[in-house]
Amino acid sequence: MCVWEAVRELMTESRTAPTSPPHRCVFCRFCSPVPAGRRERMVADIMNSAGSAGRRWSPFRSIKVFVLCHSLLQLAQLLVSGYMKSSISTIERRYGLSSQKSGILAAFNEVGNTVLIVFVSFFGSRVHRPRYIGGGALLACLASLLMAVPHFLSGHYTYTDMITTSTDNKSGLCFSSLPSNQTCHKKDSDTQWAVYPLLLLGQLLLGIGAVPIQPFGISYIDDYASRRNSPLYLGILLAMTSIGPALGFVTGSFLMRFYVDFDKLPRGEIKLEQKDLRWVGAWWLGFLVASSFLFLTALPYLFFPREMPKENEEGDQESRTDIEPPPMTDPVRDLTLLQFLKSFPRIALRTLSGPIYLLVVLALVNMAALVSGLATFMPKFIEKQFSQTISLSNMMIGGIGMPLAVLGVVLGGALMRRFNMSVRGASKLCTAAILLCLISALPMIFIGCSTQKVAEVYPDRNSSPKCSAGCGCPPDAFNPICGSNGEEYRSPCHAGCLNKVMDADNKPTNFTNCRCIYDGSGSAQPGTCGSSCSHLLLPFIILMGITSFIISFTQTPSYMMVLRTVPPEDKSFAVGVQYMLFRVLAFLPGPVLYGSVIDTTCILWGQKCGQRTSCLYYNLDSFRKRFLGLMVVFVCGALLCFLLTMVVLKRRAGAFQLPLRTNGRYEMVGEQTAPEKEQKAPEKEQKAPEKEQTPMKT
């Protein structure tokens, strides 16, 4: 019997009598006989082809296209986050913010994210996920634009001793008759109060827009990707989460080389150099670039369907059958919003009652707080401690620290896969990695130098030299110069300089007849003397890279322990509770805590229009010890949690294991086959609690 006759036979076999005489296929003599065992499969293929013949192929019905779009979207969204951290010290200098305010600004995007992330578990299976992802991306695009608005509302960036005319040869010198403060303008005074709220609003909207992107995207891919390709797709997304922030820092490194007002001033009027302590880069430009990237990556989500064909297991081809939504087994789907909100605390407390889960999450919270603070303020630390530009500092973080951390995550997962580690083995690996991290982090505290000698600032703050007493120096003057005696002065006026030499571009090259330098016979060069620690930058970066590489080893084993120590029905809640704790206990307070600690090391605050602005000079010894000491405290907290995890697991020896013949799947003892269970001694089977015998796969 040929294929076409088989189709006709199956379509008419349920009828009591045929409505038309049998029709023989005109191609019967050319058709090959069909074995009875293959008839049904061939008929199904023909019917599926016929059912899809009237439907045109669309790239938006392919899960592979969705993975590509989502990878680009996550790259854009996390690029904004990384760029914000790379430009935080520049924004701080431009608008006179303290480090504590900068920390609040850096962490403020987590406020909206924390409040709304709870509802993702409830609405995840009830809404059009691609459109919600696209809406969140467009909101993030708007937020990124809003972050750049203060630049266009503010006037030109003005600083002390800014030369506005070619005949202004006495600006900032001793006995200068110019006003004491050239930086106070009415326009800046009117708009300054609105800058910080605008930046906070932009960060808040950025956090809200990011809420649906990752959770909805991962669940959508998991629903419609084949089991074979799903880990690959999720691995690509995980790589984007690491590459995005690194790309943000690299972008910041490039854009900070441009002067902040290059769009407002002719090139000839830009007098500052990158090494000048008053230099402010084009921090706003990156937000415009990121906003354009977000807009382009958000558009495809408006065309993806709510449900798409399930990817076929064989050959990884898209199934051509009619769309059938995946079976919904999530108990959250049967709850109302009120029931969900009532049940969430109960389930969260039940999840946190597990000692292993609680200890591992607390260890991860310590590491998350560490990373959030270091990522925000490490560029500033490198800039101040080793007298480097902010551009180079960002490149050190984005080009060295973060790639090594990504490599550590990958190798940590490969190590677990290679040795088939159990939960106890994973806890030992985490403990060993954190211990090595502590060993590599401790020497960093001692790599650095003291603050350079600055007249009237450090080391003797209360000294008031008579040489500049009659110069009438404004208290807010800040134009650092380095005297020929090796001492730094806040401005030429504070050094008692009477004259300056200008080059062809009207930039000062030398200050002469300085009363405070060799009794008036000395001179000074524009710019800071520096901390004399630039030669220690290389060993510090090496230790920082090693520390990042080692501590990242713990990410994969820690997540594995979290997933394998909770019941299957609570696994999604456990991950949600974990990320909520990250935000509440780490990402929100971490940058604020680091910023507050940095502010305690300031020895000279700037002033503008009679108000305190950002810090001008830090006690570098205190800065280094407190900043890196806080990092060591968090590392010790993580080490303590992992040590306690090992103690708890030792008392439950044998409860968790990874069978050798599982093809890399993590599963519990309760997932063994019946013959394997019969070979076990009865007393060993009774040691594991009933809850831990539940099958668990990741």
Side-chain angles (χ1 to χ4, degrees), residues 489-698:
Y489 297 87
R490 293 167 53 187
S491 70
C493 181
H494 286 83
C497 299
L498 300 177
N499 298 294
K500 59 182 174 181
V501 180
M502 311 290 287
D503 62 6
D505 295 328
N506 200 31
K507 296 180 181 179
T509 59
N510 196 21
F511 296 92
T512 58
N513 303 116
C514 300
R515 295 180 175 183
C516 299
I517 305 175
Y518 298 134
D519 296 328
S521 61
S523 62
Q525 300 289 330
T528 178
C529 294
S531 61
S532 303
C533 281
S534 57
H535 64 286
L536 297 177
L537 177 63
L538 181 60
F540 180 86
I541 293 298
I542 291 175
L543 283 177
M544 183 191 72
I546 293 174
T547 303
S548 301
F549 176 76
I550 295 175
I551 197 172
S552 60
F553 259 82
T554 62
Q555 182 171 347
T556 302
S558 300
Y559 278 89
M560 185 273 295
M561 286 191 286
V562 167
L563 293 173
R564 291 177 61 192
T565 53
V566 293
E569 64 272 13
D570 291 345
K571 185 166 64 172
S572 60
F573 281 98
V575 176
V577 170
Q578 172 189 347
Y579 279 101
M580 179 174 292
L581 291 178
F582 280 2
R583 288 172 170 82
V584 174
L585 301 180
F587 296 148
L588 274 172
V592 181
L593 178 61
Y594 271 90
S596 300
V597 168
I598 292 173
D599 282 342
T600 61
T601 66
C602 183
I603 54 179
L604 180 64
W605 291 94
Q607 293 185 11
K608 186 175 182 180
C609 299
Q611 297 180 353
R612 195 181 81 170
T613 60
S614 57
C615 184
L616 303 179
Y617 287 106
Y618 292 95
N619 185 324
L620 295 183
D621 285 330
S622 300
F623 191 172
R624 183 179 65 256
K625 293 176 182 177
R626 296 178 188 179
F627 181 74
L628 299 179
L630 190 58
M631 175 187 71
V632 173
V633 169
F634 284 126
V635 172
C636 291
L639 179 61
L640 177 61
C641 291
F642 281 126
L643 286 173
L644 292 176
T645 302
M646 290 181 59
V647 173
V648 175
L649 287 173
K650 188 175 181 180
R651 296 179 180 179
R652 300 182 178 185
F656 303 99
Q657 66 181 18
L658 182 63
L660 297 179
R661 297 182 301 276
T662 58
N663 296 324
R665 296 182 300 119
Y666 298 113
E667 55 188 5
M668 309 296 286
V669 179
E671 196 174 2
Q672 297 173 350
T673 59
E676 290 175 341
K677 291 183 179 180
E678 292 175 359
Q679 295 176 2
K680 298 289 184 179
E683 59 272 15
K684 290 185 178 180
E685 295 180 351
Q686 296 175 359
K687 286 184 179 181
E690 182 179 356
K691 182 179 179 180
E692 296 174 349
Q693 294 290 333
T694 307
M696 183 75 67
K697 304 176 184 178
T698 60

Side-chain angles (χ1 to χ4, degrees), residues 38 51 60 68 168 209 235 324 333 435 520 527 554-555 578 596 599:
R38 295 179 55 195
F60 299 107
L68 174 63
D168 195 8
E324 293 182 3
R333 189 174 177 85
L435 184 60
T554 62
Q555 182 171 347
Q578 172 189 347
S596 300
D599 282 342

Side-chain angles (χ1 to χ4, degrees), residues 460-471:
D460 189 1
R461 175 69 185 272
N462 296 322
S463 63
S464 181
K466 297 180 180 179
C467 55
S468 62
C471 289

